Amino acid sequence: MASFTITLPTIYSSITSSSIHFLKSQTRTPSAFGSLRSPTPTLFNRKFTTLAVATRPSQPAAVSDSDDLNRIVLPTNESSNSLLRIRHTCAHVMAMAVQKLYPKAKVTIGPWIENGFYYDFDMEPLTDKDLKRIKKEMDRIISKNFPLVREEVSRDEAHRRILALNEPYKMEILEGIKEEPITIYHIGGEWWDLCAGPHVESTGNINRNAVELESIAGAYWRGDERKPMLQRIYGTAWENEEQLKAYLHFKEEAKRRDHRRLGQDLDLFSIQEDAGGGLVFWHPKGAIVRHIIEDFWKKVHIERGYDLLYTPHVAKADLWKISGHLDFYKENMYDQMSIEDELYQLRPMNCPYHILVYKRKRHSYRDFPIRVAELGTVYRYELSGSLHGLFRVRGFTQDDAHIFCLDDQIKDEIRGVLDLTEETLSQFGFDKYEINLSTRPEKSVGDDDIWEKATSALKDALDDKGWNYQIDDGGGAFYGPKIDVKIEDALGRKWQCSTIQVDFNLPQRFDITYVDSNSEKKRPIMIHRAVLGSLERFFGVLIEHYAGDFPLWLSPIQARILPVTDAQLEYCKDVTNKLKKHGIRAEVCHGERLPKLIRNAEKQKIPLMAVVGSKEIETQTITVRSRFGGELGTMPVDDFISRIKLGIENPTSL
C-alpha cells in the first residue's frame, strides 16, 4: 500500500527537563520517525509493514518471530490444489474420529472452507476438552496412513449401505444427488462417506502438526431454524507448520483489530439491547469520525456534479409494490404500520424515493445526466443470529446515489463513478481493490441490445481506468449488469464496499421518461451506485484497518493536553480552547499522576499529547509527544497548531 511521509522543519529549541523526563519514560519502542537530535524529523506519520499480516507502527529494528510470520504468503484453496485436497480430507478424518469416540453421533456434511473445513454432527453438546480428544484421534488416523479409496455404486446400493448404518442425514443427502453413479470415499476399510472428492491419496499426506481444531458452534440442519440444531466443529489445515503458525498469528492480529472490542474500548459506538439488536448508537467520538466521513463524502459529490437529497424514512406500502420490493424482498422488510387507515412501510432502499424526485417534472434529453445522492438511512430485518457488530445490522445509512442518463452517456458516467470511488477510498487509506464485472443472468429484463450496450460500457470504463477485473459470467442482477469493488485492508482481507449497477427494471416499473430530440418519449438509463456501501459497515472496516489507530486527520481526538499537576490546569484549558478555535479536536485530561495520564492517552490511541509543567507556563510553550513519532520537544502553541494543520492537509494513509 502507498505511504506518505510528511517532513517538517526543526521544531524544538530547548526542552524542559521535568516534562521530557515523563515523556521519555513512556516511550516503549524506538522512534521510527526521528529522535530529539534529528534536524528534520517526520511528524504525525505512520507506516505499517504490510506483508501477509500488517505489523504495529514503529516496530523495533530487530527482526522478531512475528516478522518472519508476516513474510509468509498463505496459499488459498484456489491457488493450491493440494491444500484444498488436504482440507477436504481433514473434514472426513475429523468425522471418522468423532464417530470413533462418539458412536451415536450422526454425520451430515463436511465441506472445505476458506481457511479450513468444518463438519456438522447430530450429537450431544461438545466442549473445548472434547476438541482435544478428537484432535488426538485424528492424529492417530493420520499416522495410520490409510488410503483414500474412491468407489462408484448404484443408488440402490448406496441406499442399502446408509440404511445399514442408520444415518438419516446421509439418506437425505443421497435423495438430493441427481447424478449417477453415486461416489463414495473410504478411509482405509474403516469409514466412508458420500462424496465427490477430491482428496489426498492417503491420510499420511496430511501434516498433523499443520492441523488444528478451532471452535464449536451450533448450526441448524440445512440452515433451517425449524430443523434440528447440530454441533459444528471448525478446523483449519495447512500444508506445513509454518503456514499454520502464520495463520494463527493472522487470527490474533484480526482479534486485536476486532471492531466490536475496539468500539467499546475506545468508546466509539454500542449496540444497546434495551433498544434492540442491530441498531447502532454512535457515541461522541464515533459520531465525530462519521461527521468527517460525511463531510468529505458531500464535498466530493458536490464537486462532481451531484445534487444532494434528503428523503423520508417511511412511505406508503403501495410504493414498495410498484418497486417490486414487497414481492421479492418482503422477508427482509419490517412489518407495515397502519396510519389513518393507510399502510406505511419503513424503507429498505432509497431508490424509489429518488425516482419520485425525478418524476416531479418533465425532462428533456438536454437535462442529462442527472445525478442525485443521499446519505439515506434504511431498515432491514435480519435474524438475530446473523447480526454482527457494525457489519450486519438492522438500521444503516447507505451512501446512495443514482444517475439518470442516456444510452450513449453510460460509459462516461461509469468512468466518473470509478474516478470518484478511487478518490474516496484512497482518502481513507485503501488503494488495493478486487474488481468483478457481473454480466447478464439467465433470467433478466430488458432487450438484448441495451444489455450489450450497458455491459460494453462497463467494460470500456474499466479498461479506460486501467483496472484489472474478473468477469462473473451470468452473475449480474436480473435488472442489469454491475461492477463490484472489494477493498483490501491492512491484513489483506477483502471487503465488499463499492457497487455500480445499471438498472432497466425500475425505470420501467415507475414509467419514467424524457423527451428526446424528436419530441418522442423515451426511457432513461438508471445507474445505482454506492462507494462506501454503508457508513456503519465502512466504519467497522476502518476501525479494523487501522486497529483503532486512526490517522491524525481522522482521529476523533487529535491532541490531549496533560498537566503535570492541577496547578497547570487553567493554562491547559486555555491551550485547548485555542486549539479548538483553529478546528483542532483537543481535550484536557487531569486528575491522575502524569505517567498514568500518558498511559491512558496511549490506550485511547490519541495521536498527540502535550504536557504542561511549570516551565511550560513560564515560557508559554508545551512539550509534545506523538504516538508514532516519539518525543517532539518543546514548542510554542502556535507552532503546534501550524504543524497539526499541515499534518491534516497532507493526511497519511497505510
Side-chain angles (χ1 to χ4, degrees):
M1 294 183 181
S3 61
F4 305 91
T5 304
I6 306 168
T7 304
L8 305 182
T10 305
I11 60 170
Y12 6 85
S13 49
S14 62
I15 301 169
T16 60
S17 58
S18 62
S19 303
I20 274 300
H21 170 74
F22 283 114
L23 291 174
K24 282 184 173 180
S25 68
Q26 298 304 312
T27 304
R28 287 173 285 185
T29 59
S31 169
F33 308 106
S35 67
L36 295 180
R37 292 185 291 274
S38 171
T40 55
T42 56
L43 307 186
F44 314 146
N45 195 8
R46 49 203 302 210
K47 290 184 179 179
F48 276 81
T49 304
T50 305
L51 300 163
V53 180
T55 60
R56 283 189 57 77
S58 305
Q59 289 280 7
V63 176
S64 65
D65 290 341
S66 63
D67 291 325
D68 291 336
L69 293 174
N70 290 338
R71 294 188 178 94
I72 296 174
V73 178
L74 294 175
T76 65
N77 293 329
E78 292 74 25
S79 68
S80 172
N81 188 50
S82 65
L83 182 60
L84 184 149
R85 291 172 180 270
I86 287 169
R87 288 172 173 171
H88 197 183
T89 307
C90 280
H92 283 226
V93 170
M94 181 174 70
M96 178 177 172
V98 167
Q99 290 198 306
K100 287 277 187 184
L101 297 171
Y102 308 93
K104 293 182 180 180
K106 304 299 181 187
V107 296
T108 62
I109 57 171
W112 68 83
I113 53 177
E114 183 180 2
N115 292 313
F117 58 93
Y118 73 79
Y119 219 111
D120 288 346
F121 304 92
D122 189 348
M123 62 183 300
E124 62 194 67
L126 294 167
T127 66
D128 289 340
K129 187 177 180 181
D130 294 318
L131 289 188
K132 293 179 181 178
R133 288 186 66 208
I134 296 167
K135 177 58 168 63
K136 188 174 180 180
E137 181 64 20
M138 287 179 67
D139 291 346
R140 188 191 70 80
I141 294 168
I142 291 169
S143 65
K144 290 284 186 179
N145 197 23
F146 289 122
L148 273 289
V149 179
R150 182 178 184 272
E151 181 187 10
E152 294 183 357
V153 298
S154 68
R155 184 175 299 275
D156 289 342
E157 175 62 16
H159 186 278
R160 185 189 66 78
R161 293 188 190 183
I162 294 171
L163 203 60
L165 289 175
N166 188 26
E167 289 280 10
Y169 298 98
K170 282 193 183 189
M171 193 67 77
E172 190 174 329
I173 292 169
L174 176 64
E175 291 169 359
I177 299 174
K178 304 304 180 186
E179 301 82 11
E180 291 201 40
I182 306 300
T183 57
I184 288 174
Y185 272 86
H186 299 262
I187 298 181
E190 301 197 15
W191 191 88
W192 63 268
D193 198 3
L194 297 171
C195 188
H199 293 281
V200 297
E201 291 183 359
S202 68
T203 59
N205 293 134
I206 300 169
N207 183 338
R208 67 184 186 184
N209 295 321
V211 179
E212 184 165 300
L213 298 186
E214 298 186 282
S215 62
I216 307 161
Y220 291 111
W221 172 235
R222 301 292 195 188
D224 188 337
E225 59 188 358
R226 295 165 298 183
K227 293 183 177 179
M229 172 66 76
L230 307 174
Q231 296 289 298
R232 175 172 293 179
I233 303 177
Y234 284 102
T236 189
W238 300 88
E239 295 166 327
N240 53 57
E241 293 176 66
E242 289 72 23
Q243 289 177 4
L244 175 60
K245 288 178 182 177
Y247 167 72
L248 295 176
H249 176 62
F250 172 92
K251 276 187 64 178
E252 283 303 309
E253 182 65 14
K255 184 178 178 181
R256 184 179 74 84
R257 292 167 179 266
D258 191 314
H259 75 281
R260 294 167 297 180
R261 180 183 63 81
L262 288 171
Q264 182 176 351
D265 293 348
L266 302 179
D267 196 21
L268 299 172
F269 73 92
S270 63
I271 309 291
Q272 300 287 338
E273 290 305 322
D274 289 344
L279 302 173
V280 181
F281 285 70
W282 294 76
H283 298 185
K285 290 180 180 179
I288 281 291
V289 179
R290 174 171 175 155
H291 169 71
I292 296 166
I293 295 171
E294 288 183 349
D295 270 7
F296 176 78
W297 186 91
K298 291 174 183 177
K299 174 177 173 289
V300 295
H301 279 76
I302 290 171
E303 288 174 351
R304 291 183 176 271
Y306 286 81
D307 293 317
L308 301 184
L309 299 179
Y310 293 93
T311 59
H313 290 220
V314 297
K316 291 180 180 179
D318 285 347
L319 184 66
W320 309 106
K321 288 181 182 176
I322 298 171
S323 69
H325 287 95
L326 278 178
D327 293 328
F328 303 108
Y329 204 72
K330 189 173 183 179
E331 68 275 8
N332 293 104
M333 297 169 69
Y334 279 94
D335 290 342
Q336 296 170 3
M337 62 190 87
S338 179
I339 302 174
E340 296 180 348
D341 297 325
E342 285 195 281
L343 293 176
Y344 281 75
Q345 182 82 53
L346 278 171
R347 65 175 173 186
M349 306 278 187
N350 302 304
C351 326
Y353 291 84
H354 294 187
I355 291 174
L356 292 184
V357 172
Y358 175 91
K359 287 189 71 173
R360 78 194 188 278
K361 65 179 184 180
R362 189 176 179 182
H363 291 282
S364 162
Y365 69 96
R366 296 185 182 90
D367 299 332
F368 295 103
I370 297 170
R371 309 182 189 104
V372 293
E374 176 181 14
L375 292 168
T377 302
V378 298
Y379 304 90
R380 299 179 187 174
Y381 172 67
E382 302 280 357
L383 292 172
S384 58
S386 68
L387 300 175
H388 181 82
L390 296 175
F391 293 157
R392 196 73 177 265
V393 294
R394 288 174 171 163
F396 56 92
T397 302
Q398 290 181 312
D399 71 313
D400 216 350
H402 294 91
I403 300 170
F404 301 92
C405 65
L406 308 178
D407 293 6
D408 58 4
Q409 294 174 332
I410 298 175
K411 176 188 169 183
D412 289 341
E413 290 306 305
I414 297 298
R415 174 59 196 265
V417 174
L418 295 177
D419 290 342
L420 184 148
T421 298
E422 182 177 39
E423 178 182 0
T424 302
L425 294 178
S426 64
Q427 173 74 11
F428 293 99
F430 301 104
D431 61 4
K432 289 186 178 180
Y433 321 119
E434 178 185 295
I435 314 293
N436 289 290
L437 171 59
S438 301
T439 61
R440 188 174 191 172
E442 217 173 290
K443 294 182 179 180
S444 59
V445 298
D447 297 332
D448 291 344
D449 61 335
I450 193 62
W451 268 93
E452 187 175 336
K453 183 177 286 190
T455 305
S456 295
L458 297 184
K459 287 180 179 178
D460 290 345
L462 285 169
D463 290 337
D464 280 359
K465 188 68 181 168
W467 283 357
N468 294 323
Y469 59 91
Q470 297 174 345
I471 299 287
D472 180 9
D473 195 23
F478 76 94
Y479 50 78
K482 63 175 182 172
I483 293 172
D484 289 318
V485 180
K486 294 180 181 179
I487 58 176
E488 185 176 310
D489 71 4
L491 292 186
R493 299 172 298 183
K494 294 188 172 63
W495 303 91
Q496 173 67 57
C497 283
S498 311
T499 186
I500 308 165
Q501 301 178 344
V502 180
D503 189 349
F504 312 130
N505 179 50
L506 286 184
Q508 183 176 340
R509 279 181 170 270
F510 282 90
D511 192 27
I512 61 173
T513 60
Y514 69 93
V515 177
D516 70 5
S517 57
N518 297 319
S519 298
E520 294 179 359
K521 283 189 175 182
K522 293 288 181 67
R523 192 92 62 206
I525 297 295
M526 183 178 183
I527 299 171
H528 306 256
R529 45 111 302 197
V531 175
L532 305 178
S534 81
L535 295 187
E536 286 76 7
R537 189 167 184 273
F538 186 71
F539 186 42
V541 173
L542 273 179
I543 293 170
E544 298 205 359
H545 181 56
Y546 287 112
D549 277 322
F550 297 113
L552 182 66
W553 74 278
L554 196 55
S555 182
I557 301 297
Q558 295 168 315
R560 182 174 283 183
I561 316 303
L562 308 175
V564 175
T565 69
D566 282 352
Q568 294 88 41
L569 190 55
E570 285 305 311
Y571 178 76
C572 288
K573 289 179 179 179
D574 291 341
V575 171
T576 302
N577 290 334
K578 188 170 185 179
L579 293 174
K580 287 182 176 180
K581 286 179 181 178
H582 285 270
I584 296 166
R585 298 183 292 279
E587 65 181 12
V588 179
C589 198
H590 64 100
E592 304 279 359
R593 291 173 59 83
L594 184 60
K596 187 169 183 180
L597 291 177
I598 293 173
R599 283 196 298 274
N600 289 342
E602 286 281 341
K603 288 180 180 178
Q604 288 297 302
K605 305 184 188 296
I606 308 297
L608 297 166
M609 288 168 273
V611 174
V612 174
S614 56
K615 190 73 172 178
E616 281 80 9
I617 294 179
E618 183 181 323
T619 57
Q620 293 292 286
T621 58
I622 52 176
T623 298
V624 180
R625 179 172 187 261
S626 163
R627 259 181 67 74
F628 306 107
E631 305 88 349
L632 305 179
T634 302
M635 65 188 78
V637 177
D638 287 342
D639 283 1
F640 186 47
I641 291 170
S642 65
R643 281 152 177 76
I644 291 177
K645 286 185 174 181
L646 182 59
I648 293 170
E649 289 168 4
N650 298 272
T652 64
S653 64
L654 290 179

